[in-house]
Amino acid sequence: MKIRYFTPRNIETLEPWRRLPREIRDDLQVVSQVLPFRVNNYVTDQLIDWQRGIDDPIFQLTILQKGLLPEEAFERVRRALRDGWSAERRAALVAEIRRSLNPDVDTNSADIPALEDEPVPGVQHKFRDTCLIFPAHGQTCHAYCTFCFRWPQFVEDAGVRYATDASHRFQRYVRDHPELTDLLFTGGDPMTMNARHLRAYLEPFLAPEFDHIQTLRIGTKSLAYWPYRFVTDSDADAVLRLFDEITGAGKQLAIMAHYNHGRELSTPIAQEALRRVQRTGAIVRTQSPLVRHINDDPAVLAHLWTEQVRLGCVPYALFVERLTGASRHFALPLERAWRIFRDAYEAAPGLARTVRGPLMSTYYGKVLVEGVAEGQGEPVFVLSLVRSRRPEWTRRPFFARYDSAARWLDELRPADGSATFFFQEPDIIQGAGRGLQRAAAGGPG
Ligand SMILES: *Cc1c(COP(=O)(O)O)cnc(C)c1O
Ligand code: SF4
């Protein structure tokens, strides 16, 4: 199977698309001025249920629609197109709207490490033992998720792109940091790289000078969006040989697979891709954000995790949707997210309960919403950091005032009336700068 991409330019050549009402098709042309759009022939032929159209979860996952933009922004872009604005005027409008969508890909400068006082591009080192690496050749995806928090890097503003440079200085950085045990390759999707590039990024870490590295993780959506990557692509076997070599060298290879809905696991090719990856000795761990219109239903999540266990995957994380891009359409209140998670967890088999969530990936670390409990006569949120930039903060429960509408940590207030949570020390807050609690983190979200 050869990959073919549909973009705003050629989507009208797609048969089932042309059968949709004119209005829905026009809406995509408007919204795609602002948000990135790209989908491939596997997603359109085998995953989307076109009968259900806009109500289909995979349609919601990949196809732009009117509700993703604030109404006013949508109308302004629609009018600009209708009235034939010059490219320049349109670009200014689009840039303004993008800024208003709270782009948050920028990483806190404190987390970009340095070598000899020079920043090491494409690395983010926040937690002692684990660092993120953004390979320059893997900063795109086989299709774009409508809720992606890395969306700004897929639209024109190349300035927001965050990736390694040709010098590969990240290798020296890793060599010189023996406290590192885990490298997490992320993007975009590193599995969009060809086998040769992938090898150039991974193989060096098999050398003896990297004995401190126990685990190579790859964050990827390819098992869901383009399983042919591991089966019939011309270099599929070369990729699997590389995986074999990594596990054969005694390293743990963890494929952090991004699946949002059980349908992504249902096709024969998706299951074959999984089997082939697993046969190399790689462990497939799974993660997803919890997203309205796609998987905000305990039955859908329980099914997703149950299927993953049946297919030999290890459910790992359920994230809270970040407040960026199209979050107005997708985000859920934290309480609702917790209730959905809890009901799904209750319905899932024991082996699926390795999944953690709902998790907010914040500047301070990964905040777990343990749930809502009765405090002194009043409900409170119970939270903790399962991962934090200061190890001593880990898993210390803390409490936030009950707020049924709060969707993110910065919409919560400490239950005891303090101005800040215990981990929000002034020096840390100052260092946080822009994107205070939402610094970019870990890969295919
Ligand atoms: C999530 C994340 C990791 C990985 O954390 P684990 O708990 O080991 O999965 C590493 N670095 C950053 C910056 C992260 O956000
Ligand atoms: S959410 Fe992940 S897989 Fe989806 S477009 Fe963004 S980076 Fe790519």
Side-chain angles (χ1 to χ4, degrees):
M1 176 82 97
K2 198 165 152 28
I3 196 162
R4 273 192 305 131
Y5 292 110
F6 296 100
T7 66
R9 266 186 211 128
N10 67 355
I11 183 86
E12 289 292 325
T13 64
L14 179 64
E15 232 269 307
W17 175 256
R18 279 206 307 273
R19 286 201 299 264
L20 293 178
R22 180 85 250 169
E23 203 187 324
I24 289 178
R25 287 147 60 200
D26 289 347
D27 289 349
L28 179 136
Q29 295 299 332
V30 174
V31 178
S32 67
Q33 301 288 311
V34 178
L35 297 173
F37 174 72
R38 155 156 128 163
V39 67
N40 67 54
N41 49 328
Y42 168 70
V43 176
T44 61
D45 291 353
Q46 298 189 49
L47 293 187
I48 294 177
D49 179 352
W50 294 98
Q51 296 298 321
R52 292 183 62 186
I54 199 162
D55 295 324
D56 181 59
I58 310 296
F59 186 109
Q60 289 281 334
L61 171 66
T62 53
I63 309 283
L64 296 180
Q65 49 162 303
K66 186 175 182 176
L68 302 186
L69 290 184
E71 236 161 278
E72 198 218 327
F74 180 90
E75 276 311 314
R76 288 173 74 196
V77 177
R78 196 179 62 81
R79 267 183 267 124
L81 287 177
R82 185 196 61 195
D83 300 345
W85 283 21
S86 70
E88 214 171 316
R89 244 183 110 198
R90 239 169 50 204
L93 172 65
V94 164
E96 180 199 325
I97 293 172
R98 283 183 186 153
R99 276 195 303 277
S100 76
L101 295 179
N102 187 27
D104 85 14
V105 291
D106 63 332
T107 298
N108 185 272
S109 53
D111 295 326
I112 301 176
L115 260 183
E116 287 135 19
D117 294 334
E118 284 291 315
V120 184
V123 176
Q124 192 185 330
H125 190 183
K126 180 146 90 177
F127 308 140
R128 194 176 43 197
D129 52 65
T130 303
C131 80
L132 310 183
I133 295 171
F134 297 76
H137 299 91
Q139 297 308 305
T140 185
C141 298
H142 287 115
Y144 295 147
C145 308
T146 42
F147 57 72
C148 181
F149 75 94
R150 292 199 166 279
W151 63 276
Q153 79 169 23
F154 303 131
V155 296
E156 275 103 359
D157 321 289
V160 302
R161 238 170 235 243
Y162 184 67
T164 53
D165 63 1
S167 71
H168 281 211
R169 286 168 75 239
F170 66 92
Q171 289 173 9
R172 269 186 56 209
Y173 179 81
V174 173
R175 191 194 62 197
D176 295 349
H177 285 265
E179 76 276 20
L180 283 171
T181 59
D182 278 50
L183 303 180
L184 173 44
F185 294 86
T186 183
D189 183 342
M191 294 309 304
T192 57
M193 285 191 277
N194 63 34
R196 191 170 56 84
H197 281 138
L198 200 60
R199 180 174 285 277
Y201 280 95
L202 296 171
E203 191 181 34
F205 295 107
L206 304 185
E209 57 190 351
F210 295 104
D211 270 354
H212 54 297
I213 300 301
Q214 298 164 5
T215 302
L216 301 178
R217 299 195 218 176
I218 304 174
T220 182
K221 180 85 190 167
S222 293
L223 281 162
Y225 275 166
W226 190 248
Y228 300 95
R229 178 76 201 89
F230 306 94
V231 185
T232 59
D233 274 7
S234 61
D235 61 355
D237 289 342
V239 166
L240 297 180
R241 264 199 308 280
L242 174 63
F243 287 6
D244 268 327
E245 284 171 43
I246 293 168
T247 60
K251 305 273 188 200
Q252 165 90 192
L253 176 61
I255 305 299
M256 311 302 291
H258 174 187
Y259 292 107
N260 306 106
H261 190 280
R263 197 177 307 153
E264 295 167 312
L265 289 155
S266 68
T267 65
I269 187 76
Q271 299 190 4
E272 187 176 352
L274 257 179
R275 273 195 304 274
R276 295 190 62 161
V277 167
Q278 288 162 339
R279 251 188 253 132
T280 69
I283 303 290
V284 180
R285 294 179 183 269
T286 61
Q287 56 192 26
S288 172
L290 175 57
V291 213
R292 250 169 74 204
H293 307 293
I294 295 175
N295 60 16
D296 60 333
D297 174 345
V300 166
L301 286 180
H303 174 251
L304 175 66
W305 296 333
T306 304
E307 279 301 283
Q308 287 170 354
V309 167
R310 188 177 69 80
L311 296 168
C313 307
V314 183
Y316 187 64
L318 186 72
F319 291 106
V320 176
E321 173 66 4
R322 290 155 188 267
L323 301 183
T324 178
S327 64
R328 59 188 299 280
H329 185 71
F330 292 122
L332 287 156
L334 290 172
E335 180 184 12
R336 177 116 185 84
W338 164 66
R339 289 192 189 282
I340 292 169
F341 177 88
R342 207 216 61 84
D343 290 350
Y345 198 82
E346 182 191 301
L351 287 183
R353 298 187 189 191
T354 46
V355 66
R356 298 185 303 196
L359 280 176
M360 283 180 274
S361 202
T362 76
Y363 170 78
Y364 307 96
K366 298 274 199 309
V367 177
L368 178 67
V369 182
E370 303 268 9
V372 175
E374 281 299 313
Q376 281 151 349
E378 286 186 20
V380 288
F381 276 104
V382 183
L383 307 122
S384 73
L385 285 151
V386 296
R387 257 298 194 183
S388 79
R389 54 174 63 244
R390 300 244 177 113
E392 67 271 22
W393 294 341
T394 305
R395 231 41 220 257
R396 276 172 61 184
F398 61 98
F399 306 97
R401 229 177 257 166
Y402 178 72
D403 177 344
S404 61
R407 298 163 305 168
W408 195 259
L409 183 66
D410 56 7
E411 295 178 346
L412 291 176
R413 292 291 162 260
D416 65 3
S418 329
T420 58
F421 292 108
F422 76 90
F423 48 87
Q424 293 173 314
E425 296 157 16
D427 60 315
I428 300 266
I429 292 180
Q430 241 168 34
R434 197 160 101 74
L436 181 64
Q437 294 170 345
R438 308 194 197 110

